Amino acid sequence: MGISGTPEEVRSYGELVKMTAELIVEQAALMSQVQWNKRHREELLLQLIEGSSLNEGQLLSIAQRLDLDLAQPRVATVIKVIPRPGEPVTLEHLQKLVHLLEYPERDNIVGIASVSMNEIVVLKPVTIINDSWSRKEEEKRVAKLLKRIDQECDFSIQMAIGDYFPELVGIAKSYETAKATIESSHSLDGPILFYQDRKLSVLISSIKHDPWRANQLKTPIEKLIAADSKGVLLKTLRTFFEQNCDLAQTCESLHIHRNTLRYRLDKIEQTTNLNINNLDEKVQLYLALKCL
């Protein structure tokens, strides 16, 4: 396909066609490079979170080509997309979220988890202070992300942020803590979950899926629920533990007299056959609540 006519008449059109063809070729090359970068970023992320057979030399080479610094300390974050009621999670939802996480550029390594197509995994750079990572800095970033999602998206999210572990092998451990946190959560737990805040609940969450152990732990609380039709004793016990077993703070939180609290705790002991002043039995009550 070409342009016919006298050279003087068609020369300017020829230059225009040439420039257009060059732009098309350059655009195709650019898109190819973008797709290469995206594919290799996701492959890099999957290898880091799997952590079973890390080839550090290969990963560092890929990271260098992607202009990523793997020496930068990172924590893993798992983000679950929550669409509007009655709507499914779509690829467009995930792509929009990935875009928000990648721009503006913050050196995040982002990918869609291959095991669950409604979750995004992010390896977020963090600042280490006295061998621990700066949570305040991350809380500010998360607040900005939530604001953007609220303004620009037709879905919400729940985000679980894992703990920090040093070196490349630590990223897989961080991912495990984030994944376990999101798996043990409920929709009412809020949009942002830190493993550090929920460590015990996360660590014992597997007990819920072991019927024998779960039933053993829950038996005292089930007795309490059966004998407590209005839920007063259960609420009192929850508040007691939420206030770190401080009697004065529990009374203040429940707006009751100390004698009333003492009476309720006695009733709880009688019903469950567990002594709140005995450390081992107090822990049993606490874990039983966690297993509900």
Side-chain angles (χ1 to χ4, degrees):
M1 184 176 179
I3 300 174
S4 59
T6 61
E8 291 77 11
E9 292 176 346
V10 301
R11 182 173 288 113
S12 59
Y13 296 105
E15 288 296 324
L16 182 60
V17 170
K18 177 185 175 184
M19 289 174 60
T20 302
E22 289 174 347
L23 285 172
I24 292 173
V25 171
E26 289 175 4
Q27 182 70 17
L30 179 61
M31 291 300 296
S32 177
Q33 183 64 38
V34 168
Q35 289 300 317
W36 186 94
N37 287 348
K38 180 177 177 58
R39 185 170 66 252
H40 282 79
R41 270 178 175 261
E42 291 192 344
E43 179 61 30
L44 178 67
L45 179 141
L46 290 174
Q47 289 193 44
L48 287 171
I49 64 176
E50 288 171 0
S52 54
S53 56
L54 287 180
N55 183 329
E56 291 197 15
Q58 182 183 31
L59 294 180
L60 289 170
S61 176
I62 294 173
Q64 187 176 21
R65 292 185 65 180
L66 294 170
D67 198 26
L68 292 170
D69 180 12
L70 290 189
Q72 165 71 53
R74 297 176 187 274
V75 296
T77 298
V78 176
I79 306 177
K80 181 188 296 183
V81 174
I82 304 173
R84 291 173 177 171
E87 294 184 2
V89 176
T90 66
L91 183 59
E92 286 74 20
H93 289 146
L94 299 176
Q95 290 173 337
K96 178 66 175 178
L97 181 55
V98 168
H99 178 78
L100 292 176
L101 291 163
E102 290 182 332
Y103 302 99
E105 176 61 48
R106 290 197 178 96
D107 201 27
N108 288 333
I109 303 176
V110 185
I112 300 173
S114 59
V115 293
S116 178
M117 288 302 290
N118 74 324
E119 291 180 356
I120 302 291
V121 179
V122 191
L123 305 182
K124 304 172 74 65
V126 294
T127 302
I128 304 300
I129 302 173
N130 297 326
D131 296 326
S132 62
W133 62 285
S134 174
R135 175 167 161 170
K136 288 184 178 179
E137 194 173 302
E138 187 56 34
E139 286 173 340
K140 292 178 182 177
R141 291 178 180 174
V142 167
K144 290 180 180 178
L145 175 63
L146 288 177
K147 186 175 181 180
R148 291 180 67 197
I149 289 174
D150 185 56
Q151 293 174 341
E152 302 177 29
C153 302
D154 60 350
F155 58 84
S156 58
I157 65 166
Q158 188 173 55
M159 171 188 292
I161 301 171
D163 208 351
Y164 168 73
F165 299 87
E167 302 180 359
L168 281 185
V169 293
I171 291 178
K173 296 177 183 178
S174 182
Y175 170 67
E176 287 298 324
T177 60
K179 183 174 72 169
T181 302
I182 202 86
E183 288 176 348
S184 66
S185 68
H186 302 283
S187 58
L188 298 178
D189 289 334
I192 308 300
L193 311 170
F194 283 88
Y195 169 73
Q196 294 169 324
D197 295 340
R198 306 170 59 84
K199 193 170 185 178
L200 181 59
S201 296
V202 171
L203 293 177
I204 69 168
S205 62
S206 60
I207 295 176
K208 296 179 182 179
H209 306 295
D210 184 330
W212 182 82
R213 288 180 171 81
N215 289 337
Q216 286 290 298
L217 275 176
K218 289 191 293 185
T219 296
I221 290 298
E222 288 173 345
K223 290 181 180 178
L224 185 64
I225 292 172
D228 181 31
S229 59
K230 294 183 179 179
V232 174
L233 298 181
L234 186 64
K235 180 180 179 181
T236 299
L237 186 61
R238 286 188 188 279
T239 306
F240 178 66
F241 284 126
E242 287 169 0
Q243 299 301 323
N244 297 311
C245 305
D246 186 294
L247 297 177
Q249 289 183 10
T250 302
C251 289
E252 183 179 346
S253 179
L254 292 172
H255 307 291
I256 60 176
H257 191 272
R258 192 182 186 93
N259 290 342
T260 303
L261 176 60
R262 186 66 261 172
Y263 169 79
R264 291 182 185 178
L265 293 178
D266 287 343
K267 289 287 291 182
I268 290 169
E269 290 180 336
Q270 293 167 16
T271 306
T272 62
N273 294 318
L274 293 174
N275 185 348
I276 288 178
N277 292 317
N278 177 288
L279 180 59
D280 183 79
E281 296 182 3
K282 180 184 288 185
V283 171
Q284 288 184 54
L285 279 171
Y286 182 71
L287 293 179
L289 283 174
K290 290 291 184 182
C291 284
L292 286 180

